[in-house]
Amino acid sequence: MPREGLSDRVAALRERRAAAHRVRVRRTVLRRDGVRCEVIGEDGAPRWLLDFCGNDYLGLSQQFAVTGALQDLAAREGAGGIASHLVCGHHAAHEALEREVADWLGVPAALLFGSGYAANLAVLQALLGKDDVCVQDRLNHASLIDGARLAGCALRRYPHANAEGALRQLRAAPDGAALLATDGVFSMDGDVAPLRQLALVARAQCATLYVDEAHAAGVLGEDGRGSIDEAGLDAGAVPLRLVTLGKALGGYGAVVAGDAGLVRHLAETARPYIYTTALPPALAAASLAAVRLARRDHWRREKLAALVQRFREGAQRHGLPLLPSDTPIQPLPCGDEARALAMAASLERKGCWVAAIRPPTVPEGGARLRITLSAAHAEADVDRLLDALAASRDATL
């Protein structure tokens, strides 16, 4: 029997995705102006849309101090990271950012990575091996799941936000080292992990608790320190955490922060850290400016929280069944993929850009509109979206 050709396999898989309404298409953004984007439409013509699907929660990506820091250092130091951190790529801008993040979070040490995905791979690969176990929430980000696979450890998953389930999984794997990993805020549901209960479970089972704060840092907690701070926990309870720089902080990259010994071990052994070029210093300078603004500008979080409340109250008036979330991530369940796509297309015709999220990003039957809010939005923007959502819902019933 002849060997299957990869081109034939890929074509067949795409046909299957198309039949299930799961083909993914990139959209090209020509320009951004705050929360407005000029986007190439399906007809090839550009049009301006209100962006309700990005992760720029604090509106820092175009803030003048942030972009100014990037431009200034790029003009002096160039555009690239030149080499890996352990060769000659570690710049003073990287060092300053790591120290600022560690101080912000109240932890001993921090380590800069090129992306949150790479950082999660690094943490799990460097800390776990084939005789160990990683226990994870069923709705964790894909990078945490892939990190466990890369590590070669046993991967056990518990029902979403179920601390008792985490306890059962840890008890079932008593040998070797154990890492309990969870998102702080879940990227597709917008809810917050039960961190206090998970910290108790980790302590009782001698496991290390690792929290991915990608969608919480900058948004939750005192001075935006994240869901760990919001839960009243410290570095003793959560020895390692991930903070991404490309969401509420408006830049690119990620920082793993926490116990100094663990962070040093990552710097010396984590393959996604050792074998890649360092982040461009100019991007680190931009993120340093953004962290300082996030710490200082409490009004950004206050405005964002008020917009979230306004949106949820308006959704209730319109009879829009949102998932329970008090974060900037506000999912609207649609049931099936076809309806999610139809509603997203209807919203776009009304000038609002909202992403239709489909399996496998979410569980089967969980297709939804993932609506995200930013401190850069105005109340009028939220009201316009609510009216557009109600009209699109009615048009697709």
Side-chain angles (χ1 to χ4, degrees):
M1 188 173 182
R3 188 190 303 273
E4 179 186 20
L6 282 177
S7 294
D8 293 337
R9 177 192 291 178
V10 166
L13 289 172
R14 193 175 196 283
E15 284 183 14
R16 246 182 269 171
R17 290 198 301 275
H21 302 283
R22 294 181 185 179
V23 171
R24 298 173 187 241
V25 179
R26 295 188 306 181
R27 304 296 302 276
T28 300
V29 177
L30 299 175
R31 288 181 292 171
R32 289 192 175 94
D33 180 13
V35 293
R36 298 173 67 247
C37 297
E38 189 179 22
V39 184
I40 298 294
E42 292 183 1
D43 59 358
R47 64 175 307 183
W48 284 94
L49 301 174
L50 271 173
D51 184 3
F52 288 101
C53 52
N55 297 320
D56 188 17
Y57 303 130
L58 296 181
L60 291 174
S61 67
Q62 297 181 63
Q63 204 276 345
F64 67 90
V66 175
T67 58
L70 185 148
Q71 292 168 349
D72 289 348
L73 198 60
R76 296 199 307 272
E77 302 288 339
I82 305 302
S84 69
H85 284 277
L86 296 181
V87 178
C88 63
H90 192 63
H91 191 275
H94 301 139
E95 188 80 16
L97 176 58
E98 289 173 346
R99 289 178 177 173
E100 183 77 22
V101 170
D103 181 71
W104 176 35
L105 301 177
V107 299
L111 188 67
L112 178 63
F113 286 85
S115 73
Y117 208 111
N120 275 338
L121 296 184
V123 169
L124 274 66
Q125 171 264 315
L127 296 180
L128 300 173
K130 65 181 180 64
D131 297 323
D132 303 323
V133 64
C134 184
V135 173
Q136 299 197 24
D137 190 291
R138 188 163 293 280
L139 296 188
N140 271 359
H141 190 267
S143 57
L144 288 169
I145 298 166
D146 290 351
R149 291 170 176 164
L150 177 65
C153 64
L155 171 61
R156 297 177 179 270
R157 300 169 75 182
Y158 57 89
H160 177 50
N162 188 322
E164 290 185 4
L167 177 61
R168 288 194 298 270
Q169 294 287 24
L170 285 167
R171 281 176 172 168
D175 301 322
L179 186 78
L180 176 54
T182 182
D183 288 9
V185 170
F186 291 89
S187 60
M188 293 298 120
D189 283 33
D191 57 339
V192 182
L195 293 182
R196 290 188 66 82
Q197 296 94 316
L198 291 174
L200 290 173
V201 167
R203 180 179 177 184
Q205 293 296 307
C206 298
T208 297
L209 180 57
Y210 175 55
V211 180
D212 182 337
E213 292 277 63
H215 295 274
V219 175
L220 301 181
E222 184 71 22
D223 295 335
R225 284 192 288 264
S227 61
I228 295 168
D229 182 82
E230 182 106 318
L233 300 175
D234 58 16
V238 186
L240 277 181
R241 73 189 77 181
L242 171 76
V243 171
T244 52
L245 305 172
K247 295 180 175 62
L249 297 172
Y252 189 74
V255 176
V256 175
D259 177 83
L262 294 176
V263 170
R264 183 171 58 248
H265 179 73
L266 295 179
E268 295 173 358
T269 67
R271 294 172 68 86
Y273 183 78
I274 297 172
Y275 300 114
T276 193
T277 301
L279 198 71
L283 287 176
S287 291
L288 176 61
V291 170
R292 289 171 174 168
L293 287 169
R295 298 180 71 173
R296 185 193 72 194
D297 290 353
H298 301 285
W299 67 264
R300 295 180 186 274
R301 278 179 293 280
E302 292 166 1
K303 181 183 177 186
L304 182 59
L307 291 174
V308 169
Q309 183 177 359
R310 185 182 188 90
F311 177 75
R312 291 193 66 83
E313 290 173 352
Q316 186 175 25
R317 288 195 304 272
H318 284 288
L320 297 166
L322 300 175
L323 293 182
S325 167
D326 293 322
T327 71
I329 302 167
Q330 294 292 315
L332 177 65
C334 298
D336 62 73
E337 291 90 327
R339 184 159 188 248
L341 288 169
M343 285 192 67
S346 175
L347 286 167
E348 184 167 331
R349 290 191 292 271
K350 294 172 173 54
C352 296
W353 193 5
V354 176
I357 307 296
R358 295 156 287 162
T361 304
V362 291
E364 293 293 332
R368 67 197 61 183
L369 297 179
R370 181 183 181 267
I371 300 154
T372 53
L373 300 174
S374 168
H377 284 122
E379 290 183 349
D381 297 331
V382 172
D383 295 343
R384 178 179 174 182
L385 173 64
L386 286 164
D387 291 339
L389 281 167
S392 298
R393 183 244 353 245
D394 296 343
T396 57
L397 286 176

